[in-house]
Amino acid sequence: MSLVTRIHAEIAAAGGWLPFDRFMAMALYEPGLGYYAGGRRKFGQMPSEGSDFVTAPEMSPLFGRALARQLAQAMMVTGCRDVVEFGAGSGALAAQLIAELDALDAGLARYRIVDLSAELRERQRERLAHCGDRVDWLDALPDELDAIVIGNEVLDAMPVQLIAFDGQVWRERGVVTVGESFAFADRDSMLRPPLLSSEHGGFVPGTVTEIHPQGEAFVATLARTLKRGAAFFIDYGFPEAEYYHPQRRGGTLMCHQGHLADADPLVAVGDKDITAHVNFTGTALAGQDAGLVVLGYTSQANFLLNCGIADLLAGTSLGERAMAHRLLAEHEMGELFKVIGFAPLSAPFDALGFERGDRSHKL
């Protein structure tokens, strides 16, 4: 059965209307069929490689080397010797972090990976084979975790709910079958944006946006699991006031295929990535409510500079500096991408990456 056929069957079984978060979950993660379950190459710098998008570790190894300095500090402060990465992708970041943590003599004992994609796990195993048995894979979070946790572009790939405002009421947007294709359809719902300064928060008719219960539930679950250590998440997104600004009428839902972006998740289903920006205020509150403290929140550029990427640039080639510049430039990844850090409420510390330019007050 193809993925499209499988989703049509799911819509029929649900009475003809499927919530968008369920559609997104199937499009990305349906076992053996979804985008992240297939064999297509996803990560790379050029469409000629057959890839769909590039992430920071593929762009420059200096990303992982700078990030390793933050992990090393967290390991020293907390006494944790394990690192757990969620959604390790191609394994590029893991390789960079392991090499740099060893160079820093940080005392890394185990590098553990949690990834839903069996296909990506195999690629990670190939890439990290030289690391031996220090690297292993977890099928789920353990009941208790003493580790430094890292997630790069993980939260944006978690299924979101869509809601639409018609000028009078908010409705939940789902997916229906139309012939052999898919279409959006709205139905009555109690779902609302989390930030409403007035009855409808100044939103104009036709506004569509996202809410993130699955991503926030993930952070809350991690909070209850993380007994000792710290967690750092890097992703594109905004604080709540910016995310739900009335001028952001179309939301942030976006698809990527062949290094081109489009906003239609209902076509080429299973052949392209589907993402939504992160509401970092909701992420922070989910962690705090479950027992974590926010160590800091800042732009990727500030974070990497605090972690010493400028020093790492010394002695690199012009081409290497150009690629690293994309990690820092405001019009590239430097400003759109943010970093948020957490630690158990009982053991906060002054994290290196948030030394200057912390924006926690904007959450």
Side-chain angles (χ1 to χ4, degrees):
M1 181 182 293
S2 71
L3 176 62
V4 169
T5 301
R6 176 72 187 86
I7 296 176
H8 280 306
E10 184 88 357
I11 292 172
W17 183 92
L18 196 65
F20 182 77
D21 56 340
R22 175 58 182 153
F23 174 88
M24 182 174 172
M26 294 184 72
L28 295 180
Y29 303 113
E30 186 71 7
L33 299 173
Y35 176 77
Y36 282 105
R40 179 188 178 101
R41 180 174 180 178
K42 300 156 184 70
F43 309 92
Q45 295 192 26
M46 300 294 292
S48 58
E49 301 171 341
S51 58
D52 292 319
F53 53 87
V54 62
T55 61
E58 279 83 24
M59 193 172 291
S60 170
L62 297 187
F63 177 81
R65 292 187 63 194
L67 177 58
R69 295 185 174 192
Q70 173 61 90
L71 301 193
Q73 184 220 14
M75 292 169 69
M76 179 186 68
V77 170
T78 66
C80 294
R81 298 181 61 213
D82 290 358
V83 171
V84 175
E85 182 181 0
F86 285 90
S90 68
L93 180 57
Q96 294 163 12
L97 290 175
I98 292 169
E100 190 67 14
L101 288 171
D102 286 347
L104 294 170
D105 197 22
L108 176 67
R110 290 185 302 177
Y111 195 100
R112 319 196 75 181
I113 294 173
V114 182
D115 206 306
L116 295 177
S117 171
E119 182 265 334
L120 287 176
R121 281 190 180 201
E122 289 307 310
R123 296 192 183 192
Q124 294 156 13
R125 283 192 177 94
E126 292 177 10
R127 189 160 198 164
L128 301 171
H130 66 283
C131 297
D133 59 7
R134 279 201 302 171
V135 179
D136 63 1
W137 283 259
L138 300 172
D139 293 322
L141 274 175
D143 293 336
E144 294 189 359
L145 189 62
D146 293 343
I148 310 303
V149 174
I150 181 68
N152 180 55
E153 294 197 47
V154 170
L155 298 176
D156 68 87
M158 294 193 175
V160 295
Q161 293 173 310
L162 289 185
I163 52 175
F165 183 60
D166 65 4
Q168 299 294 323
V169 296
W170 288 94
R171 290 187 170 92
E172 184 175 5
R173 178 155 290 183
V175 181
V176 298
T177 291
V178 178
E180 296 182 356
S181 301
F182 301 111
F184 284 128
D186 302 338
R187 63 166 48 180
D188 292 343
S189 171
M190 295 302 293
L191 297 177
R192 299 290 186 272
L195 178 66
L196 290 173
S197 58
S198 62
E199 183 180 359
H200 295 306
F203 292 100
V204 299
T207 295
V208 178
T209 191
E210 309 89 23
I211 52 179
H212 305 76
Q214 292 196 34
E216 291 165 13
F218 162 76
V219 172
T221 299
L222 175 64
R224 289 188 288 270
T225 300
L226 189 66
K227 304 305 178 184
R228 189 165 59 101
F232 300 92
F233 294 100
I234 305 165
D235 228 311
Y236 40 86
F238 313 100
E240 193 167 280
E242 293 180 36
Y243 198 108
Y244 296 106
H245 194 284
Q247 291 182 353
R248 199 180 302 283
R249 297 181 53 183
T252 70
L253 197 69
M254 191 60 60
C255 305
H256 299 91
Q257 184 179 23
H259 292 260
L260 297 176
D262 72 83
D264 190 351
L266 303 186
V267 300
V269 178
D271 291 328
K272 59 184 179 181
D273 192 21
I274 307 173
T275 72
H277 286 47
V278 176
N279 169 13
F280 278 102
T281 300
T283 301
L285 290 174
Q288 287 182 333
D289 290 346
L292 296 179
V293 62
V294 175
L295 297 176
Y297 164 74
T298 192
S299 68
Q300 177 174 287
N302 283 340
F303 183 85
L304 293 177
L305 288 168
N306 288 336
C307 291
I309 195 171
D311 294 336
L312 296 173
L313 282 166
T316 59
S317 69
L318 181 61
E320 289 169 329
R321 288 197 296 273
M323 294 305 291
H325 177 71
R326 295 178 61 187
L327 302 175
L328 305 173
E330 185 172 349
H331 64 283
E332 293 270 3
M333 300 177 72
E335 179 58 34
L336 178 60
F337 279 71
K338 312 297 194 307
V339 187
I340 190 167
F342 294 102
L345 186 60
S346 59
F349 60 96
D350 294 327
L352 172 68
F354 307 109
E355 234 174 39
R356 294 176 295 276
D358 184 22
R359 302 178 186 177
S360 297
H361 62 284
K362 293 188 175 182
L363 289 171

